Structure formats: C-alpha cells, structure tokens
C-alpha cells in the first residue's frame, strides 16, 4: 500500500483547504480510507473515514462533522478531505490511512501540515 498526501498549507481562520492522498497498491473493493491528525506531542487521532467501494459510507470525528467532507475519486485513485471553516485548533499534521474491512488502520502516508492562523 502506498499513500501520498498533499495539500497542506497556511490558511487564515475561517478559510478552507482540500487535502489529497494518492492511493495505490490496494484492493479498492476491500478497503476503507481515512484521515487522521496529530498535534505536537500527542497521539494521532481519527478525523474521518470512507468506504472506497461505497462512498456514502462515511464517518467523522465530532469536531469535523459539518465542516469536513471526505470523498474519493475512483478514476484518479485519490482520497480527499475538504476542510471548511478552519480554526486554530485544526492546526496539525494530517495523515491519510488505509485499512481492510474489519481491521484497524495500519497503512499510513506521510503527513501534510495544516496551519491555521487566528
């Protein structure tokens, strides 16, 4: 499994960013894809996930609900995270991840840094 995240950057509070993750080496029919974030000196935490074969099957962490949207483009083998109404508490290193159905997330891309200025 290979995951390549991109799209991080500096944005003002209230702004938006779209993260992307290029995906390869997976059986898309059997995988869930997700986004996690990590604050300095903290453990990685779940943000959102999507079932690749059924894009309507999604889940979000409470603070992401209503502000973030996870999606995927099957033609491009790319996972996205649209983040709106960003706040300073969204500043973190964001990772894309993959797991087989019924398993824990165990494949990770490199992080992409999101910085939200107040």
């Amino acid at each position: 499994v290979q995951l390549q995240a991109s799209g991080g950057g500096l944005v003002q509070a209230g702004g938006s960013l779209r993260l992307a993750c290029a995906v390869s080496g997976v059986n898309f029919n059997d995988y869930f894809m997700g986004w996690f974030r990590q604050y300095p000196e903290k453990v990685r935490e779940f943000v959102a996930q999507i079932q690749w074969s059924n894009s309507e099957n999604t889940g979000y962490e409470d603070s992401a609900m209503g502000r973030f949207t996870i999606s995927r483009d099957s033609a491009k083998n790319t996972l996205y995270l649209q983040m709106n109404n960003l706040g300073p508490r969204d500043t973190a290193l964001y990772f894309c991840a993959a797991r087989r159905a019924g398993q824990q997330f165990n494949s990770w891309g490199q992080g992409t840094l999101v910085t939200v200025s107040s």
Side-chain angles (χ1 to χ4, degrees):
V1 178
Q2 292 188 326
L3 306 169
Q4 181 76 31
S6 62
L10 174 64
V11 63
Q12 288 187 331
S16 299
L17 276 177
R18 188 177 76 161
L19 306 183
C21 178
V23 183
S24 61
V26 304
N27 177 352
F28 289 108
N29 289 329
D30 192 38
Y31 268 77
F32 285 72
M33 307 299 300
W35 288 98
F36 287 71
R37 61 187 175 189
Q38 188 170 14
Y39 301 106
E41 300 182 4
K42 299 290 186 181
V43 299
R44 209 168 290 183
E45 65 179 41
F46 171 79
V47 175
Q49 71 172 358
I50 186 169
Q51 182 178 6
W52 192 274
S53 62
N54 177 13
S55 61
E56 294 185 0
N57 185 7
T58 59
Y60 295 90
E61 181 266 336
D62 286 349
S63 72
M65 185 77 69
R67 298 189 302 131
F68 295 2
T69 302
I70 190 170
S71 64
R72 58 96 175 103
D73 185 329
S74 294
K76 296 181 179 179
N77 290 349
T78 301
L79 175 73
Y80 298 103
L81 185 69
Q82 176 67 43
M83 304 186 294
N84 298 327
N85 194 22
L86 286 162
R89 294 181 67 180
D90 297 312
T91 295
L93 194 59
Y94 285 73
F95 297 85
C96 54
R99 66 175 178 90
R100 291 183 184 274
Q103 297 184 3
Q104 301 283 339
F105 282 99
N106 56 11
S107 296
W108 302 89
Q110 91 291 358
T112 186
L113 182 62
V114 172
T115 304
V116 184
S117 63
S118 57

